[in-house]
Amino acid sequence: MLLSRSYVIGSVFVTILFIVGFCFQNPELIFQAQQKLKCNWSQNVIDKSIELAHFERKQLINSVGFRKAGLNVLTPWLAPIIWNGTYDIDILDNQHKDTRIGLFVFAVKKYIRFLLPFLESAEQFFMVGHKVTYYVFTDKVNDVVKPKLANDRILQLHKVTADRRWQDVSMRRMEALTLFTKERMPKEIDYLICADVDMVFNDHMGVEILGDLVATLHPAFFLSERESFSYERRPISAAYIPDGQGDFYYMAALYGGKVEEIYKLSLACQKGITEDKKKSIEAVWQEESHLNRYLVYNKPTKVLSPEYLWDTDLPHGEFIKKRRFLAVHKNHNEVRNTK
């Protein structure tokens, strides 16, 4: 028997009244449903962005005629190589909400001119929203212009004596690093990032770079064959790396890790430098040579792609979608000249 039209309309009306009444009586359930839909939509956007980034990288990798190891997202020992789109920053930020992070930098002699742009750009892009302590070592403490710092960010200034040769200044950093990671930093921070001062942060650099031991691919060698790496090849040096060994060439302008791991690294490099001095020799690229030696036999647990350390004068910029930490163009001879 067919239902009357008035009965159908009445049933629909009663159903609507029931739904409206339920919504008024249970607003929290409606809010939760809305939030779930919003979260699902946001996660879908993130997932699609990551898929697109992976697709673009695969296209580039398939087209390149160079060594591809540095373009992958995993090292041969299964440590992640961090490229744009390989992580979910919201998840990582939540995991590290209470993490204490240090940024170690040397600014002596004429390099003091780079300190303020370095710090100002760090405030804009480096570990934004997290607890950060800047460890600045300089021979010109009174000349330091302090930037405006966000909450939970601290600037520490430490007086050092500047060596006459820039090569010795470069090596001196390992001495300060060894001392502070042994005695002071374990009480103040969980992770330490070491950086060159003649750089500026240019895009987001956050907790995705944190790990037990983190190294950065040298932007001039990330597509090079192992034979082209500028390792120390003289057996007499403590930084010596034999032919056929080594995976990547890392740059000393950006590396980091847990404080205890950086202590082990800096202690080993300092010992190597001391051994070389006793023999009246110097590794080809000073501390960077000793750093690479250490990382050949103590594999980093995370590797940063050249997105995290770039020079706009270099070729192959098409692979670098994000340029997060940029070299400042300068006259090296003028800056290094002590007069």
Side-chain angles (χ1 to χ4, degrees):
M1 182 165 74
L2 295 175
L3 297 176
S4 66
R5 181 178 180 186
S6 60
Y7 178 82
V8 173
I9 293 174
S11 298
V12 172
F13 183 71
V14 170
T15 301
I16 292 174
L17 286 177
F18 175 79
I19 294 172
V20 172
F22 179 83
C23 292
F24 275 109
Q25 293 177 9
N26 300 276
E28 68 284 353
L29 295 178
I30 303 303
F31 176 77
Q32 290 174 6
Q34 289 176 334
Q35 290 300 106
K36 185 175 182 180
L37 287 172
K38 183 178 179 181
C39 289
N40 288 341
W41 180 84
S42 299
Q43 189 59 48
N44 286 336
V45 171
I46 293 172
D47 291 343
K48 293 300 180 183
S49 298
I50 292 175
E51 287 179 14
L52 179 59
H54 283 317
F55 176 77
E56 291 177 343
R57 288 187 40 70
K58 286 181 180 179
Q59 291 295 101
L60 284 171
I61 289 174
N62 290 335
S63 65
V64 73
F66 305 97
R67 182 174 183 256
K68 301 176 182 179
L71 294 173
N72 292 326
V73 295
L74 284 176
T75 67
W77 59 97
L78 302 183
I81 302 177
I82 307 302
W83 291 88
N84 183 48
T86 59
Y87 56 88
D88 187 327
I89 192 58
D90 292 331
I91 293 176
L92 296 177
D93 276 337
N94 186 60
Q95 291 175 344
H96 287 282
K97 59 184 178 182
D98 296 319
T99 298
R100 303 168 302 168
I101 304 154
L103 183 57
F104 173 96
V105 65
F106 246 61
V108 298
K109 296 187 177 180
K110 294 181 180 179
Y111 280 85
I112 190 71
R113 71 179 66 167
F114 302 113
L115 181 59
L116 183 59
F118 175 92
L119 293 174
E120 288 179 334
S121 63
E123 279 298 289
Q124 186 177 0
F125 295 114
F126 181 78
M127 303 293 173
V128 175
H130 293 276
K131 300 178 180 68
V132 173
T133 299
Y134 298 105
Y135 295 92
V136 175
F137 292 78
T138 180
D139 59 330
K140 301 178 183 294
V141 172
N142 295 332
D143 295 340
V144 173
V145 180
K146 299 178 181 179
K148 183 178 180 180
L149 301 179
N151 293 334
D152 290 327
R153 297 169 84 91
I154 302 167
L155 175 62
Q156 292 187 11
L157 299 178
H158 299 280
K159 178 78 173 180
V160 292
T161 301
D163 290 271
R164 188 160 173 267
R165 298 169 62 245
W166 68 267
Q167 294 93 335
D168 293 327
V169 171
S170 174
M171 292 181 178
R172 183 78 55 193
R173 292 192 298 187
M174 283 298 175
E175 294 181 8
L177 196 54
T178 301
L179 178 63
F180 270 68
T181 52
K182 179 182 181 181
E183 298 180 355
R184 180 167 183 161
M185 291 178 179
K187 306 172 186 176
E188 299 177 346
I189 56 174
D190 304 303
Y191 293 89
L192 180 66
I193 303 300
C194 306
D196 278 0
V197 71
D198 51 344
M199 308 281 295
V200 290
F201 295 91
N202 187 63
D203 207 326
H204 162 89
M205 187 185 292
V207 294
E208 76 278 1
I209 74 171
L210 300 181
D212 288 1
L213 183 59
V214 181
T216 307
L217 298 180
H218 196 299
F221 293 100
F222 76 106
L223 293 176
S224 300
E225 297 293 338
R226 181 187 290 123
E227 294 75 19
S228 301
F229 296 165
S230 55
Y231 289 152
E232 174 56 70
R233 297 299 192 185
R234 295 171 298 170
I236 192 175
S237 172
Y240 169 63
I241 298 175
D243 289 339
Q245 295 192 20
D247 310 283
F248 302 102
Y249 189 80
Y250 304 105
M251 193 167 184
L254 186 70
Y255 60 94
K258 289 184 175 179
V259 174
E260 57 268 30
E261 292 300 326
I262 298 303
Y263 170 69
K264 294 176 187 176
L265 180 151
S266 60
L267 182 62
C269 291
Q270 185 184 355
K271 286 182 177 179
I273 292 169
T274 302
E275 289 177 18
D276 281 359
K277 281 189 173 182
K278 290 178 179 177
K279 302 172 187 176
S280 299
I281 61 171
E282 189 173 83
V284 60
W285 290 111
Q286 297 83 44
E287 62 172 322
E288 186 171 273
S289 297
H290 292 276
L291 174 75
N292 273 275
R293 161 80 185 192
Y294 183 84
L295 294 172
V296 166
Y297 303 108
N298 301 270
K299 305 295 188 192
T301 59
K302 182 175 288 186
V303 175
L304 305 182
S305 72
E307 291 179 350
Y308 290 87
L309 184 56
W310 189 248
D311 187 330
T312 55
D313 283 342
L314 292 174
H316 310 303
E318 67 273 14
F319 293 100
I320 313 303
K321 301 301 181 182
K322 293 279 188 178
R323 301 178 180 189
R324 305 175 190 275
F325 197 39
L326 292 175
V328 176
H329 293 161
K330 55 195 169 294
N331 182 328
H332 288 276
N333 290 332
E334 187 273 330
V335 174
R336 292 170 178 171
N337 190 340
T338 59
K339 296 181 180 179

